[in-house]
Amino acid sequence: QTPHQGRSAPSTQPWRSPGEPQAPGSLPAPRWPVECEVIQEMIEHIEWVPPKPEPFCPPMGPEQALYTLGEEQGTVVYHSSPALQGSCFTRARVGGAPGPLSSPAAPLEGPQDTTLLFESRFESGNLQKAIKVGPYEYVLMLRPDLYTAKHTQWFYFRVQNTRREPLYRFTIANMAKPKSLYGQGLQPLLYSQRDAQSRGIGWRRVGTDVCYYHGSAGEPPMFRLSWTVRFPHDGDTCFFATCYPYTYSDLQRYLRALAADPARSRYCTVQALCRSLAGNTVYLLTITSPGSTTSKRVVVVSARVHPGESGSSWAMRGFLDFLMSAHADAQLLRRLFIFKVVPMLNPDGVVVGNSRCSLAGRDPNRAYGMALPGSFPSVWHLQAMVQRVLAEQEVVLYCDFHGHSRKNNVFMYGCDAGGDSTGTRLRQRVFPLMLSKNAPDKFSFSSCKFQVQKSKKGTGRVSMWRLGVSHSYTLEVAFSGSTLGGRSSHFSVEDLKSLGHLLCDTLLDFCDPAPAKLQQCLVEAGALLQQQMGREPGSGGSWSDVSPSELES
């Protein structure tokens, strides 16, 4: 049985938007480091929104963690580890490693063999090893980010040869972070190929007895995520993931549909910002209504500098969908602003299934300001583009979309260095405060932070602010969901996409020539800060001489 459908490789015809410069060549297949084996099948998933919100599950405490047999007592049933020549990236090609594929999965011994067949050698896949430690129990090891020995967080893999009756137990034994939303009710995602084909059901939250706890002693310490699950069908092909996957190929399909749409391609130009280390195109979209652009202000938006934060791509998708729609507010935004959008800053990391790094083996969001074009091309070229724009026009906002693994809800990080005037420091807080009013069931203003820590000086947010973008933010979207507005449930793809629309709404409020909303938010931000300082609003105490760290304590 072959429940997964193969898909032909993307066409390599040049694509162009009517009346616009030709886009960079075609949309070629992703390029992989030559050490990586890649299966031929094209993995695609349907989009689906559950009929009602999926509640958080009651998490188990570490003391309730069920005993797992040690890996050494088990049988390795899958092992795929790229033979990384040396410790750094050298070259890439379409399709990854040349030559025939190896067989990392142990073959089944007959129809009675209930061993699961694991696979993750596909775009964004990440599983290094699976060890069978009981009839329906497996210990899993994630592959660290390529050319590093750490950053294990994102997971995405396939299982076949499922059985419907038994309760399976999975334990990922090498998670890197000491704290996780899995300890607060977050559940893994499951996708059943059979349910997708016969019932139109896509990714859903599953798992009972979800537990996140300290695993092996040693350096660095490792943490374990375990859950139990029943599969919906016998003989199904299923996938597990941390968050809804959004691959480089998904982005390319979206851009191809965009180029083929005569209406949207009138006000959206797609160019190559640069190429990544592996030679994958980093796309730059310029969105504005046709006509003169000299008096327009600029908004710069980026996402997916961290490849394991796939929710940020769904928020970006919602942002682009709304901004290029026929909605009256979208038309107004295109008339008022020029949008410069980089939807995927780290395509190589997304392709190979990294959590945090690019193929340079380092976090690109700590490389702004000191990045060399040869090591971190997308970061260097984005910064250079913003510098060029600033020489001629005002950049009214920079927003970089991220995902967060330890805090619920959606929130922002801004820049308040403490030396600014009271008004400037209040204004920093207005955009996030407005967004919290537009998204009361998702966005938490109290979770926002504005301190510029030394360790964050290489981030996009701080770097753009230092260049002169006075409103520069990181938008953080929880891997889990929302605890606000009576909710205590996971984000769906629709929730994530709605954030893009809400960001557009907030931009209009923020730049509204009638000052009422802005004034109201300034007053409110001032009152909130005074309360935090333990002073009554209107008591005359000034906080303009207070340091940002005191404001946040």
Side-chain angles (χ1 to χ4, degrees):
Q1 111 272 351
T2 54
H4 33 266
Q5 272 130 12
R7 212 176 61 88
S8 58
S11 132
T12 52
Q13 292 303 307
W15 60 307
R16 57 182 76 207
S17 313
E20 297 286 6
Q22 185 181 324
S26 61
L27 291 181
R31 294 173 62 85
W32 294 70
V34 291
E35 301 94 338
C36 295
E37 289 194 335
V38 187
I39 60 171
Q40 291 295 302
E41 295 149 69
M42 187 58 102
I43 309 287
E44 278 191 75
H45 304 293
I46 63 167
E47 267 182 60
W48 176 72
V49 177
K52 54 182 197 286
E54 297 174 295
F56 294 144
C57 76
M60 292 177 70
E63 66 289 344
Q64 298 167 281
L66 302 168
Y67 175 70
T68 300
L69 278 171
E71 294 86 284
E72 52 287 348
Q73 284 109 309
T75 312
V76 175
V77 293
Y78 176 84
H79 192 189
S80 169
S81 195
L84 302 175
Q85 284 117 21
S87 59
C88 61
F89 168 72
T90 50
R91 59 195 185 87
R93 67 190 287 278
V94 170
L101 292 176
S102 66
S103 303
L108 297 178
E109 290 174 0
Q112 265 44 64
D113 190 343
T114 59
T115 303
L116 290 175
L117 294 171
F118 291 84
E119 181 60 89
S120 75
R121 294 171 299 166
F122 47 78
E123 235 185 299
S124 294
N126 182 335
L127 179 67
Q128 184 163 294
K129 195 191 267 189
I131 302 151
K132 187 176 182 179
V133 294
Y136 301 104
E137 183 168 354
Y138 296 85
V139 172
L140 311 176
M141 304 294 283
L142 304 181
R143 194 211 69 229
D145 283 6
L146 284 189
Y147 315 111
T148 81
K150 48 190 184 186
H151 306 297
T152 41
Q153 175 169 286
W154 164 259
F155 59 86
Y156 176 34
F157 58 89
R158 183 178 82 183
V159 292
Q160 291 174 305
N161 197 37
T162 60
R163 297 291 188 276
R164 199 164 61 98
E165 288 299 317
L167 186 68
Y168 287 81
R169 182 172 151 84
F170 297 96
T171 301
I172 297 175
N174 65 333
M175 299 291 272
K177 292 193 174 181
K179 281 211 167 106
S180 167
L181 286 163
Y182 287 110
Q184 298 177 44
L186 170 62
Q187 290 172 289
L189 281 163
L190 171 83
Y191 185 95
S192 155
Q193 201 96 40
R194 191 169 289 184
D195 278 348
Q197 286 165 353
S198 62
R199 300 167 60 203
I201 292 173
W203 289 102
R204 66 189 115 166
R205 300 286 170 180
V206 298
T208 43
D209 298 336
V210 178
C211 189
Y212 195 89
Y213 57 103
H214 199 291
S216 61
E219 281 304 315
M222 287 296 165
F223 300 85
R224 291 184 164 230
L225 165 65
S226 76
W227 71 95
T228 53
V229 67
R230 280 194 167 85
F231 289 108
H233 304 284
D234 286 333
D236 197 0
T237 292
C238 291
F239 295 82
F240 286 104
T242 317
C243 188
Y244 309 100
Y246 193 96
T247 64
Y248 184 58
S249 292
D250 288 329
L251 173 65
Q252 291 191 307
R253 281 189 278 273
Y254 183 78
L255 295 180
R256 210 165 30 239
L258 185 60
D261 179 339
R264 291 187 300 173
S265 51
R266 270 184 52 239
Y267 40 76
C268 176
T269 323
V270 181
Q271 295 160 288
L273 175 72
C274 61
R275 293 202 181 274
S276 68
L277 290 185
N280 292 307
T281 302
V282 179
Y283 295 101
L284 168 65
L285 282 59
T286 304
I287 302 165
T288 192
S289 55
S292 166
T293 58
T294 45
S295 60
K296 290 185 179 181
R297 294 185 290 174
V298 178
V299 174
V300 182
V301 184
S302 57
R304 213 63 187 280
V305 72
H306 292 148
E309 298 169 7
S310 61
S312 69
S313 280
W314 289 103
M316 174 59 81
R317 198 21 223 280
F319 177 77
L320 291 172
D321 282 349
F322 180 75
L323 190 55
M324 292 189 282
S325 70
H327 194 286
D329 283 355
Q331 293 181 40
L332 177 58
L333 284 164
R334 296 194 299 265
R335 277 205 305 277
L336 289 174
F337 301 105
I338 301 167
F339 291 87
K340 295 278 186 187
V341 183
V342 183
M344 196 172 280
L345 273 165
N346 185 356
D348 296 351
V350 172
V351 167
V352 302
N354 277 2
S355 287
R356 200 160 182 90
C357 298
S358 69
L359 295 183
R362 287 182 30 221
D363 178 350
N365 201 40
R366 295 293 181 275
Y368 283 86
M370 59 218 179
L372 300 166
S375 305
F376 298 98
S378 60
V379 159
W380 191 89
H381 284 277
L382 174 62
Q383 198 167 312
M385 188 244 332
V386 170
Q387 276 175 301
R388 284 196 304 276
V389 170
L390 280 166
E392 296 174 4
Q393 285 156 299
E394 181 193 348
V395 176
V396 68
L397 180 84
Y398 171 67
C399 189
D400 192 23
F401 294 11
H402 284 251
H404 207 283
S405 67
R406 298 189 307 281
K407 276 164 76 172
N408 282 309
N409 307 313
V410 182
F411 49 95
M412 278 179 148
Y413 294 143
C415 298
D416 174 353
D420 294 328
S421 69
T422 306
T424 306
R425 295 173 69 187
L426 272 180
R427 274 199 173 78
Q428 275 295 325
R429 290 157 170 79
V430 168
F431 190 89
L433 186 57
M434 285 179 161
L435 186 50
S436 73
K437 291 177 182 302
N438 288 331
D441 64 335
K442 298 180 189 72
F443 192 94
S444 165
F445 182 70
S446 62
S447 296
C448 295
K449 289 188 173 175
F450 300 89
Q451 202 176 340
V452 179
Q453 294 160 308
K454 212 168 178 181
S455 62
K456 299 293 172 75
K457 73 174 196 294
T459 61
R461 157 181 66 105
V462 174
S463 158
M464 300 303 175
W465 174 69
R466 292 222 155 107
L467 287 179
V469 181
S470 51
H471 296 97
S472 183
Y473 301 100
T474 302
L475 179 77
E476 294 280 359
V477 183
F479 285 16
S480 53
S482 169
T483 57
L484 304 169
R487 281 185 66 156
S488 187
S489 57
H490 293 87
F491 286 139
S492 66
V493 163
E494 211 46 56
D495 283 325
L496 297 173
K497 283 168 36 177
S498 75
L499 293 170
H501 176 179
L502 293 160
L503 197 83
C504 289
D505 270 0
T506 306
L507 185 58
L508 282 177
D509 290 341
F510 186 64
C511 297
D512 191 334
K517 283 182 180 171
L518 185 70
Q519 292 298 344
Q520 181 200 337
C521 285
L522 281 169
V523 169
E524 205 170 314
L528 282 166
L529 279 166
Q530 296 236 359
Q531 273 170 4
Q532 281 177 339
M533 299 300 303
R535 299 200 184 103
E536 282 307 306
S539 65
S542 162
W543 50 269
S544 57
D545 53 346
V546 174
S547 75
S549 55
E550 282 180 273
L551 284 175
E552 282 187 4
S553 60

